[in-house]
Amino acid sequence: MTGRYAEPFGSHGLVRLDADAALVRAAMDAAPDGIVLVQHDGAILYANAAMAAISGYALAELLGTSVHRLLPRSHRMRHAEQMADYFDGPSRRPMGMGRDLWLERKDGSLIPVDVALGHTEQGGGAAVAFVRDITELRRLEARMHYQATHDTLTGLVNRWQFGQRLEQAIAESARQGEPFALLLLDLDDFKAINDGYGHAAGDQVLVEVARRLKGALRASDTLARLGGDEFTVLLQPLAGPEEAEQRAAELLQVLCQPCRMHGFELNFGASLGLALCPADARDAATLLRYADMAMYQAKERGRANFAFYTDYMGRRMAEKILLHDRLKLALSYGGLALHYQPQVCVATGRVQAVEALLRWSDPELGDVSPERFIPVAEATGLILALGAWVLDAACRQTAQWARAGLALRVAVNLSAQQLRQTDLVDQLRGSLAVHGTPPGLLELEVTESETMADPEQARQVLCNLQALGVGVALDDFGTGYSSLVHLKQLPVSRIKIDREFIRPLLHSEADATMVRAIIGLARTLGLHVVAEGVEAVEQLRFLEQHGCEAYQGWLYSKAVPAAQVLALLRSAGTQEDSVPAALTE
Ligand code: C2E
Ligand code: MG
Ligand code: MG
């Protein structure tokens, strides 16, 4: 090493400052960034202490050596050319303006650096490089990037990052002409785990699900958690739908293994929906929507199932949206009406009550059956507004009849969501009061399966409704698998035998037995009983023989508008005396 390199600020007069050269050197050594002076041929004229620390070389090793030594091997050739260009027209370059730069340390390791450049004409011209070790900064950036793209609980890719991967997968599939599958997965009854075992257990289940899925997937597949208990997978590459089907079945299988946790054995399943690119759609939003529809279809089929998107689901969804929109409109313009179907006493043939049934006539769609629109209203939540309208309209009609002297009991259907509505009791109390409806004339019909979903909650709500003075009937009885214990605890005064048992009654011994059993059960429990859907005289005879009290069905009448109810009562003949004069005029 020659003295020239060792004394850049000293006797060679590279920089002439008033301050003492030793002081300047000390100042340079105190700088947190590395500083190197490099001459035209790439030889290092000077380096400060920080540069030595960053590079791992001793100062003496750096001085006089080529600056290329500090560059990754792959960059050295290119850097020599860049340096020649630089000295032809030297310029300044501040920190933080460059691409990723790397420095090769003495031990061969690479560290990310940022470099600012300056230039001096002194001493024949030299470049001054200020070198900052940005390892920590990069680490921080990497951590922030990880946090922004991953789910903290499971460590899986998050929704945002998944969106990026999905776009990439679509682009790749278009370029290479190869399909891939988007799979959406939702745990079954996850809420029950959270509610029953606590959120910590819920979190553990999610971590376990992530672990199992990861174990069952290939490195090329993408697994993400979208949030809550929703996961998604990109199966790529994919030979075709058969492979997607097989892989979906495998995923279901690993998920359905019981999970031991703190001595408990938890059983959870999942529902999977699949959409294929490009067969089903070629854009991210549509693929996600289709996979979602398929997932709901899988859920409808019962726990632990998977389903592929089909055009049929698309059409069904389109119909659902159309019905929802038109129904909402009907609520506001008065396109809805209640019709009333008589419940008739088997022994006397007298009408003892009517059931209010919702009718919707749309200007474009025509008459739409409740079998078609009630499920849509239930799925979209519109049933609450619809149910409130029905309750109010029924209360108004009942009061109107009562004021005219016709004390006719009116039964109204309640949906499961209404039962869960916290203000249902207040709402009904309000309608009863506004119209002056005698509560005893109103009966609410709830289906057996609705009350089975959460028997205790249903019992509470029904008790509160009963306290208002209204009656409660169990609709569609025989289809909901309710236990006798459960039935005994519900504040119910009437059961309605589902029409599915009445229809085959005369040809099926099993159904006949069932109907006899229900009638017997009602009698034992002291409940009234009505048979639904009676269309034939023979069915009525059977009911009469076995002591069924009342029936409802087309044999007597379909549901009719309120104005025709009176005519029905009158035409029954035996009813003359009960139709008040005020109404017959
Ligand atoms: P549901 O409460 O069991 O009502 C009885 C259904 O049986 C009615 O169908 C009625 O028209 C039909 N029906 C009556 N007699 C006969 C018969 O002899 N033969 C046959 N085949 N069917 C008969 P609708 O009006 O189409 O209503 C279907 C279902 O829609 C109702 O079943 C009820 O679950 C629901 N629904 C109707 N109106 C309302 C409402 O205002 N609110 C709620 N939440 N649901 C309603
Ligand atoms: Mg009903
Ligand atoms: Mg029914």
Side-chain angles (χ1 to χ4, degrees), residues 414 419 424-425 444-447 451 455-468 470-474 486 489-492:
L414 275 192
L419 266 189
L424 175 67
V425 176
L444 301 172
E445 290 189 6
V446 292
T447 68
T451 60
E456 183 43 36
Q457 199 246 0
R459 199 184 65 81
Q460 266 303 321
V461 179
L462 295 181
C463 283
N464 294 341
L465 289 171
Q466 208 185 33
L468 292 179
V470 303
V472 179
L474 213 49
H486 167 224
Q489 285 169 348
L490 284 178
V492 169

PDB file of all heavy atoms in Angstrom, residues 414 419 424-425 444-447 451 455-468 470-474 486 489-492:
ATOM      1  N   LEU A 414     -95.599 -17.221  10.414  1.00  0.00           N
ATOM      2  CA  LEU A 414     -94.396 -16.490  10.845  1.00  0.00           C
ATOM      3  C   LEU A 414     -93.178 -17.225  10.296  1.00  0.00           C
ATOM      4  O   LEU A 414     -93.147 -18.448  10.315  1.00  0.00           O
ATOM      5  CB  LEU A 414     -94.263 -16.509  12.362  1.00  0.00           C
ATOM      6  CG  LEU A 414     -94.976 -15.477  13.213  1.00  0.00           C
ATOM      7  CD1 LEU A 414     -94.416 -15.561  14.625  1.00  0.00           C
ATOM      8  CD2 LEU A 414     -94.802 -14.071  12.674  1.00  0.00           C
ATOM      9  N   LEU A 419     -89.131 -14.977  14.042  1.00  0.00           N
ATOM     10  CA  LEU A 419     -89.060 -15.526  15.400  1.00  0.00           C
ATOM     11  C   LEU A 419     -87.798 -15.067  16.123  1.00  0.00           C
ATOM     12  O   LEU A 419     -87.788 -14.917  17.336  1.00  0.00           O
ATOM     13  CB  LEU A 419     -89.029 -17.056  15.348  1.00  0.00           C
ATOM     14  CG  LEU A 419     -90.341 -17.804  15.482  1.00  0.00           C
ATOM     15  CD1 LEU A 419     -90.065 -19.290  15.634  1.00  0.00           C
ATOM     16  CD2 LEU A 419     -91.129 -17.322  16.694  1.00  0.00           C
ATOM     17  N   LEU A 424     -90.095  -8.522  17.725  1.00  0.00           N
ATOM     18  CA  LEU A 424     -91.328  -9.110  17.181  1.00  0.00           C
ATOM     19  C   LEU A 424     -92.526  -8.884  18.109  1.00  0.00           C
ATOM     20  O   LEU A 424     -93.613  -8.517  17.661  1.00  0.00           O
ATOM     21  CB  LEU A 424     -91.118 -10.623  16.938  1.00  0.00           C
ATOM     22  CG  LEU A 424     -92.356 -11.370  16.476  1.00  0.00           C
ATOM     23  CD1 LEU A 424     -92.779 -10.934  15.080  1.00  0.00           C
ATOM     24  CD2 LEU A 424     -92.139 -12.876  16.503  1.00  0.00           C
ATOM     25  N   VAL A 425     -92.301  -9.084  19.401  1.00  0.00           N
ATOM     26  CA  VAL A 425     -93.409  -8.962  20.357  1.00  0.00           C
ATOM     27  C   VAL A 425     -93.927  -7.518  20.374  1.00  0.00           C
ATOM     28  O   VAL A 425     -95.138  -7.282  20.311  1.00  0.00           O
ATOM     29  CB  VAL A 425     -92.960  -9.420  21.768  1.00  0.00           C
ATOM     30  CG1 VAL A 425     -94.081  -9.211  22.775  1.00  0.00           C
ATOM     31  CG2 VAL A 425     -92.546 -10.889  21.738  1.00  0.00           C
ATOM     32  N   LEU A 444    -100.742 -17.459  15.543  1.00  0.00           N
ATOM     33  CA  LEU A 444     -99.505 -17.420  14.765  1.00  0.00           C
ATOM     34  C   LEU A 444     -99.083 -18.842  14.432  1.00  0.00           C
ATOM     35  O   LEU A 444     -99.060 -19.710  15.310  1.00  0.00           O
ATOM     36  CB  LEU A 444     -98.407 -16.716  15.563  1.00  0.00           C
ATOM     37  CG  LEU A 444     -98.776 -15.284  15.944  1.00  0.00           C
ATOM     38  CD1 LEU A 444     -97.756 -14.682  16.891  1.00  0.00           C
ATOM     39  CD2 LEU A 444     -98.903 -14.415  14.683  1.00  0.00           C
ATOM     40  N   GLU A 445     -98.759 -19.089  13.152  1.00  0.00           N
ATOM     41  CA  GLU A 445     -98.307 -20.418  12.745  1.00  0.00           C
ATOM     42  C   GLU A 445     -96.794 -20.411  12.605  1.00  0.00           C
ATOM     43  O   GLU A 445     -96.243 -19.614  11.858  1.00  0.00           O
ATOM     44  CB  GLU A 445     -98.930 -20.807  11.404  1.00  0.00           C
ATOM     45  CG  GLU A 445    -100.405 -21.086  11.489  1.00  0.00           C
ATOM     46  CD  GLU A 445    -100.961 -21.695  10.193  1.00  0.00           C
ATOM     47  OE1 GLU A 445    -100.168 -22.008   9.278  1.00  0.00           O
ATOM     48  OE2 GLU A 445    -102.193 -21.837  10.125  1.00  0.00           O
ATOM     49  N   VAL A 446     -96.146 -21.280  13.351  1.00  0.00           N
ATOM     50  CA  VAL A 446     -94.699 -21.433  13.187  1.00  0.00           C
ATOM     51  C   VAL A 446     -94.457 -22.877  12.772  1.00  0.00           C
ATOM     52  O   VAL A 446     -95.161 -23.769  13.226  1.00  0.00           O
ATOM     53  CB  VAL A 446     -93.921 -21.127  14.489  1.00  0.00           C
ATOM     54  CG1 VAL A 446     -94.014 -19.667  14.822  1.00  0.00           C
ATOM     55  CG2 VAL A 446     -94.427 -21.954  15.645  1.00  0.00           C
ATOM     56  N   THR A 447     -93.472 -23.095  11.897  1.00  0.00           N
ATOM     57  CA  THR A 447     -93.271 -24.480  11.465  1.00  0.00           C
ATOM     58  C   THR A 447     -92.461 -25.206  12.520  1.00  0.00           C
ATOM     59  O   THR A 447     -91.702 -24.607  13.282  1.00  0.00           O
ATOM     60  CB  THR A 447     -92.547 -24.599  10.111  1.00  0.00           C
ATOM     61  OG1 THR A 447     -91.222 -24.150  10.277  1.00  0.00           O
ATOM     62  CG2 THR A 447     -93.257 -23.813   9.034  1.00  0.00           C
ATOM     63  N   THR A 451     -88.928 -24.063  14.919  1.00  0.00           N
ATOM     64  CA  THR A 451     -88.783 -24.077  16.374  1.00  0.00           C
ATOM     65  C   THR A 451     -87.691 -25.044  16.806  1.00  0.00           C
ATOM     66  O   THR A 451     -87.166 -24.947  17.903  1.00  0.00           O
ATOM     67  CB  THR A 451     -90.091 -24.500  17.068  1.00  0.00           C
ATOM     68  OG1 THR A 451     -90.424 -25.805  16.612  1.00  0.00           O
ATOM     69  CG2 THR A 451     -91.212 -23.556  16.744  1.00  0.00           C
ATOM     70  N   PRO A 455     -84.636 -24.602  20.123  1.00  0.00           N
ATOM     71  CA  PRO A 455     -85.904 -24.822  20.840  1.00  0.00           C
ATOM     72  C   PRO A 455     -86.102 -23.886  22.030  1.00  0.00           C
ATOM     73  O   PRO A 455     -87.205 -23.385  22.240  1.00  0.00           O
ATOM     74  CB  PRO A 455     -85.806 -26.274  21.311  1.00  0.00           C
ATOM     75  CG  PRO A 455     -84.776 -26.898  20.450  1.00  0.00           C
ATOM     76  CD  PRO A 455     -83.839 -25.823  20.030  1.00  0.00           C
ATOM     77  N   GLU A 456     -85.026 -23.609  22.769  1.00  0.00           N
ATOM     78  CA  GLU A 456     -85.180 -22.804  23.977  1.00  0.00           C
ATOM     79  C   GLU A 456     -85.541 -21.363  23.612  1.00  0.00           C
ATOM     80  O   GLU A 456     -86.428 -20.752  24.215  1.00  0.00           O
ATOM     81  CB  GLU A 456     -83.894 -22.862  24.820  1.00  0.00           C
ATOM     82  CG  GLU A 456     -83.950 -22.124  26.146  1.00  0.00           C
ATOM     83  CD  GLU A 456     -85.267 -22.326  26.927  1.00  0.00           C
ATOM     84  OE1 GLU A 456     -85.827 -23.447  26.886  1.00  0.00           O
ATOM     85  OE2 GLU A 456     -85.742 -21.349  27.550  1.00  0.00           O
ATOM     86  N   GLN A 457     -84.848 -20.854  22.607  1.00  0.00           N
ATOM     87  CA  GLN A 457     -85.122 -19.486  22.169  1.00  0.00           C
ATOM     88  C   GLN A 457     -86.552 -19.390  21.630  1.00  0.00           C
ATOM     89  O   GLN A 457     -87.282 -18.451  21.941  1.00  0.00           O
ATOM     90  CB  GLN A 457     -84.098 -19.079  21.095  1.00  0.00           C
ATOM     91  CG  GLN A 457     -83.984 -17.580  20.897  1.00  0.00           C
ATOM     92  CD  GLN A 457     -84.469 -17.157  19.522  1.00  0.00           C
ATOM     93  OE1 GLN A 457     -84.886 -17.996  18.731  1.00  0.00           O
ATOM     94  NE2 GLN A 457     -84.438 -15.867  19.264  1.00  0.00           N
ATOM     95  N   ALA A 458     -86.943 -20.398  20.829  1.00  0.00           N
ATOM     96  CA  ALA A 458     -88.288 -20.399  20.247  1.00  0.00           C
ATOM     97  C   ALA A 458     -89.332 -20.434  21.365  1.00  0.00           C
ATOM     98  O   ALA A 458     -90.341 -19.721  21.320  1.00  0.00           O
ATOM     99  CB  ALA A 458     -88.453 -21.604  19.323  1.00  0.00           C
ATOM    100  N   ARG A 459     -89.055 -21.229  22.380  1.00  0.00           N
ATOM    101  CA  ARG A 459     -90.014 -21.360  23.486  1.00  0.00           C
ATOM    102  C   ARG A 459     -90.211 -20.004  24.175  1.00  0.00           C
ATOM    103  O   ARG A 459     -91.338 -19.593  24.460  1.00  0.00           O
ATOM    104  CB  ARG A 459     -89.504 -22.396  24.506  1.00  0.00           C
ATOM    105  CG  ARG A 459     -90.583 -22.954  25.425  1.00  0.00           C
ATOM    106  CD  ARG A 459     -89.969 -23.890  26.459  1.00  0.00           C
ATOM    107  NE  ARG A 459     -89.080 -23.163  27.363  1.00  0.00           N
ATOM    108  CZ  ARG A 459     -89.498 -22.456  28.406  1.00  0.00           C
ATOM    109  NH1 ARG A 459     -90.772 -22.395  28.684  1.00  0.00           N
ATOM    110  NH2 ARG A 459     -88.634 -21.810  29.169  1.00  0.00           N
ATOM    111  N   GLN A 460     -89.085 -19.334  24.397  1.00  0.00           N
ATOM    112  CA  GLN A 460     -89.131 -18.013  25.039  1.00  0.00           C
ATOM    113  C   GLN A 460     -90.002 -17.040  24.247  1.00  0.00           C
ATOM    114  O   GLN A 460     -90.907 -16.391  24.790  1.00  0.00           O
ATOM    115  CB  GLN A 460     -87.712 -17.418  25.112  1.00  0.00           C
ATOM    116  CG  GLN A 460     -86.980 -17.673  26.406  1.00  0.00           C
ATOM    117  CD  GLN A 460     -87.779 -17.146  27.590  1.00  0.00           C
ATOM    118  OE1 GLN A 460     -88.390 -16.078  27.504  1.00  0.00           O
ATOM    119  NE2 GLN A 460     -87.812 -17.901  28.672  1.00  0.00           N
ATOM    120  N   VAL A 461     -89.709 -16.937  22.932  1.00  0.00           N
ATOM    121  CA  VAL A 461     -90.425 -15.980  22.088  1.00  0.00           C
ATOM    122  C   VAL A 461     -91.911 -16.337  22.045  1.00  0.00           C
ATOM    123  O   VAL A 461     -92.776 -15.462  22.183  1.00  0.00           O
ATOM    124  CB  VAL A 461     -89.844 -15.974  20.653  1.00  0.00           C
ATOM    125  CG1 VAL A 461     -90.614 -15.006  19.770  1.00  0.00           C
ATOM    126  CG2 VAL A 461     -88.381 -15.605  20.678  1.00  0.00           C
ATOM    127  N   LEU A 462     -92.202 -17.639  21.875  1.00  0.00           N
ATOM    128  CA  LEU A 462     -93.606 -18.042  21.786  1.00  0.00           C
ATOM    129  C   LEU A 462     -94.339 -17.749  23.095  1.00  0.00           C
ATOM    130  O   LEU A 462     -95.511 -17.356  23.082  1.00  0.00           O
ATOM    131  CB  LEU A 462     -93.712 -19.519  21.408  1.00  0.00           C
ATOM    132  CG  LEU A 462     -93.181 -19.847  20.000  1.00  0.00           C
ATOM    133  CD1 LEU A 462     -93.347 -21.328  19.681  1.00  0.00           C
ATOM    134  CD2 LEU A 462     -93.875 -19.004  18.926  1.00  0.00           C
ATOM    135  N   CYS A 463     -93.650 -17.924  24.222  1.00  0.00           N
ATOM    136  CA  CYS A 463     -94.270 -17.611  25.523  1.00  0.00           C
ATOM    137  C   CYS A 463     -94.611 -16.120  25.578  1.00  0.00           C
ATOM    138  O   CYS A 463     -95.692 -15.725  26.033  1.00  0.00           O
ATOM    139  CB  CYS A 463     -93.339 -17.968  26.678  1.00  0.00           C
ATOM    140  SG  CYS A 463     -93.312 -19.728  27.012  1.00  0.00           S
ATOM    141  N   ASN A 464     -93.660 -15.290  25.111  1.00  0.00           N
ATOM    142  CA  ASN A 464     -93.900 -13.848  25.123  1.00  0.00           C
ATOM    143  C   ASN A 464     -95.068 -13.457  24.209  1.00  0.00           C
ATOM    144  O   ASN A 464     -95.855 -12.569  24.545  1.00  0.00           O
ATOM    145  CB  ASN A 464     -92.653 -13.082  24.688  1.00  0.00           C
ATOM    146  CG  ASN A 464     -91.523 -13.238  25.692  1.00  0.00           C
ATOM    147  OD1 ASN A 464     -91.781 -13.609  26.845  1.00  0.00           O
ATOM    148  ND2 ASN A 464     -90.299 -12.999  25.271  1.00  0.00           N
ATOM    149  N   LEU A 465     -95.160 -14.152  23.063  1.00  0.00           N
ATOM    150  CA  LEU A 465     -96.270 -13.866  22.146  1.00  0.00           C
ATOM    151  C   LEU A 465     -97.585 -14.303  22.791  1.00  0.00           C
ATOM    152  O   LEU A 465     -98.591 -13.593  22.745  1.00  0.00           O
ATOM    153  CB  LEU A 465     -96.065 -14.597  20.817  1.00  0.00           C
ATOM    154  CG  LEU A 465     -94.930 -14.051  19.931  1.00  0.00           C
ATOM    155  CD1 LEU A 465     -94.676 -14.989  18.762  1.00  0.00           C
ATOM    156  CD2 LEU A 465     -95.265 -12.653  19.415  1.00  0.00           C
ATOM    157  N   GLN A 466     -97.538 -15.467  23.416  1.00  0.00           N
ATOM    158  CA  GLN A 466     -98.746 -15.998  24.046  1.00  0.00           C
ATOM    159  C   GLN A 466     -99.243 -15.064  25.150  1.00  0.00           C
ATOM    160  O   GLN A 466    -100.444 -14.903  25.357  1.00  0.00           O
ATOM    161  CB  GLN A 466     -98.434 -17.373  24.632  1.00  0.00           C
ATOM    162  CG  GLN A 466     -99.629 -18.267  24.703  1.00  0.00           C
ATOM    163  CD  GLN A 466     -99.283 -19.571  25.397  1.00  0.00           C
ATOM    164  OE1 GLN A 466     -98.445 -19.593  26.306  1.00  0.00           O
ATOM    165  NE2 GLN A 466     -99.929 -20.640  24.978  1.00  0.00           N
ATOM    166  N   ALA A 467     -98.251 -14.430  25.811  1.00  0.00           N
ATOM    167  CA  ALA A 467     -98.610 -13.508  26.894  1.00  0.00           C
ATOM    168  C   ALA A 467     -99.413 -12.310  26.368  1.00  0.00           C
ATOM    169  O   ALA A 467    -100.126 -11.651  27.125  1.00  0.00           O
ATOM    170  CB  ALA A 467     -97.341 -13.028  27.604  1.00  0.00           C
ATOM    171  N   LEU A 468     -99.291 -12.035  25.073  1.00  0.00           N
ATOM    172  CA  LEU A 468    -100.095 -10.950  24.478  1.00  0.00           C
ATOM    173  C   LEU A 468    -101.545 -11.391  24.292  1.00  0.00           C
ATOM    174  O   LEU A 468    -102.408 -10.588  23.959  1.00  0.00           O
ATOM    175  CB  LEU A 468     -99.545 -10.547  23.107  1.00  0.00           C
ATOM    176  CG  LEU A 468     -98.183  -9.855  23.026  1.00  0.00           C
ATOM    177  CD1 LEU A 468     -97.828  -9.575  21.568  1.00  0.00           C
ATOM    178  CD2 LEU A 468     -98.226  -8.541  23.806  1.00  0.00           C
ATOM    179  N   VAL A 470    -102.365 -13.973  22.067  1.00  0.00           N
ATOM    180  CA  VAL A 470    -102.558 -14.618  20.767  1.00  0.00           C
ATOM    181  C   VAL A 470    -102.269 -16.120  20.886  1.00  0.00           C
ATOM    182  O   VAL A 470    -101.576 -16.554  21.805  1.00  0.00           O
ATOM    183  CB  VAL A 470    -101.652 -14.000  19.665  1.00  0.00           C
ATOM    184  CG1 VAL A 470    -101.894 -12.513  19.536  1.00  0.00           C
ATOM    185  CG2 VAL A 470    -100.182 -14.283  19.951  1.00  0.00           C
ATOM    186  N   GLY A 471    -102.825 -16.895  19.969  1.00  0.00           N
ATOM    187  CA  GLY A 471    -102.607 -18.340  19.981  1.00  0.00           C
ATOM    188  C   GLY A 471    -101.412 -18.723  19.129  1.00  0.00           C
ATOM    189  O   GLY A 471    -100.936 -17.927  18.315  1.00  0.00           O
ATOM    190  N   VAL A 472    -100.906 -19.931  19.340  1.00  0.00           N
ATOM    191  CA  VAL A 472     -99.778 -20.415  18.536  1.00  0.00           C
ATOM    192  C   VAL A 472    -100.100 -21.808  18.001  1.00  0.00           C
ATOM    193  O   VAL A 472    -100.561 -22.671  18.741  1.00  0.00           O
ATOM    194  CB  VAL A 472     -98.478 -20.477  19.369  1.00  0.00           C
ATOM    195  CG1 VAL A 472     -97.328 -20.999  18.515  1.00  0.00           C
ATOM    196  CG2 VAL A 472     -98.120 -19.103  19.940  1.00  0.00           C
ATOM    197  N   ALA A 473     -99.852 -22.000  16.688  1.00  0.00           N
ATOM    198  CA  ALA A 473    -100.054 -23.315  16.085  1.00  0.00           C
ATOM    199  C   ALA A 473     -98.743 -23.790  15.471  1.00  0.00           C
ATOM    200  O   ALA A 473     -97.935 -22.979  15.022  1.00  0.00           O
ATOM    201  CB  ALA A 473    -101.126 -23.235  15.006  1.00  0.00           C
ATOM    202  N   LEU A 474     -98.546 -25.118  15.497  1.00  0.00           N
ATOM    203  CA  LEU A 474     -97.339 -25.693  14.911  1.00  0.00           C
ATOM    204  C   LEU A 474     -97.687 -26.164  13.493  1.00  0.00           C
ATOM    205  O   LEU A 474     -98.475 -27.106  13.325  1.00  0.00           O
ATOM    206  CB  LEU A 474     -96.875 -26.851  15.797  1.00  0.00           C
ATOM    207  CG  LEU A 474     -95.383 -27.107  15.899  1.00  0.00           C
ATOM    208  CD1 LEU A 474     -94.619 -25.835  16.188  1.00  0.00           C
ATOM    209  CD2 LEU A 474     -95.109 -28.156  16.953  1.00  0.00           C
ATOM    210  N   HIS A 486     -89.853 -31.880  23.492  1.00  0.00           N
ATOM    211  CA  HIS A 486     -89.813 -30.546  22.929  1.00  0.00           C
ATOM    212  C   HIS A 486     -91.233 -30.034  22.694  1.00  0.00           C
ATOM    213  O   HIS A 486     -91.590 -28.920  23.049  1.00  0.00           O
ATOM    214  CB  HIS A 486     -88.995 -30.647  21.638  1.00  0.00           C
ATOM    215  CG  HIS A 486     -89.080 -29.459  20.762  1.00  0.00           C
ATOM    216  ND1 HIS A 486     -89.249 -29.545  19.425  1.00  0.00           N
ATOM    217  CD2 HIS A 486     -89.031 -28.140  21.044  1.00  0.00           C
ATOM    218  CE1 HIS A 486     -89.297 -28.345  18.909  1.00  0.00           C
ATOM    219  NE2 HIS A 486     -89.161 -27.475  19.866  1.00  0.00           N
ATOM    220  N   GLN A 489     -93.047 -28.915  25.748  1.00  0.00           N
ATOM    221  CA  GLN A 489     -92.589 -27.668  26.379  1.00  0.00           C
ATOM    222  C   GLN A 489     -93.023 -26.415  25.630  1.00  0.00           C
ATOM    223  O   GLN A 489     -92.967 -25.317  26.166  1.00  0.00           O
ATOM    224  CB  GLN A 489     -91.063 -27.680  26.498  1.00  0.00           C
ATOM    225  CG  GLN A 489     -90.601 -28.606  27.605  1.00  0.00           C
ATOM    226  CD  GLN A 489     -89.117 -28.831  27.556  1.00  0.00           C
ATOM    227  OE1 GLN A 489     -88.459 -28.479  26.587  1.00  0.00           O
ATOM    228  NE2 GLN A 489     -88.586 -29.426  28.608  1.00  0.00           N
ATOM    229  N   LEU A 490     -93.394 -26.590  24.355  1.00  0.00           N
ATOM    230  CA  LEU A 490     -93.762 -25.401  23.571  1.00  0.00           C
ATOM    231  C   LEU A 490     -95.174 -24.938  23.921  1.00  0.00           C
ATOM    232  O   LEU A 490     -96.069 -25.766  24.085  1.00  0.00           O
ATOM    233  CB  LEU A 490     -93.692 -25.711  22.080  1.00  0.00           C
ATOM    234  CG  LEU A 490     -92.307 -25.782  21.449  1.00  0.00           C
ATOM    235  CD1 LEU A 490     -92.422 -26.137  19.983  1.00  0.00           C
ATOM    236  CD2 LEU A 490     -91.546 -24.469  21.608  1.00  0.00           C
ATOM    237  N   PRO A 491     -95.370 -23.625  24.032  1.00  0.00           N
ATOM    238  CA  PRO A 491     -96.709 -23.112  24.341  1.00  0.00           C
ATOM    239  C   PRO A 491     -97.578 -23.111  23.083  1.00  0.00           C
ATOM    240  O   PRO A 491     -97.889 -22.068  22.536  1.00  0.00           O
ATOM    241  CB  PRO A 491     -96.425 -21.687  24.817  1.00  0.00           C
ATOM    242  CG  PRO A 491     -95.171 -21.297  24.115  1.00  0.00           C
ATOM    243  CD  PRO A 491     -94.383 -22.533  23.875  1.00  0.00           C
ATOM    244  N   VAL A 492     -97.962 -24.296  22.651  1.00  0.00           N
ATOM    245  CA  VAL A 492     -98.689 -24.434  21.391  1.00  0.00           C
ATOM    246  C   VAL A 492    -100.072 -24.986  21.690  1.00  0.00           C
ATOM    247  O   VAL A 492    -100.220 -25.855  22.544  1.00  0.00           O
ATOM    248  CB  VAL A 492     -97.926 -25.425  20.479  1.00  0.00           C
ATOM    249  CG1 VAL A 492     -98.760 -25.803  19.274  1.00  0.00           C
ATOM    250  CG2 VAL A 492     -96.610 -24.838  20.035  1.00  0.00           C
TER     251      VAL A 492
END
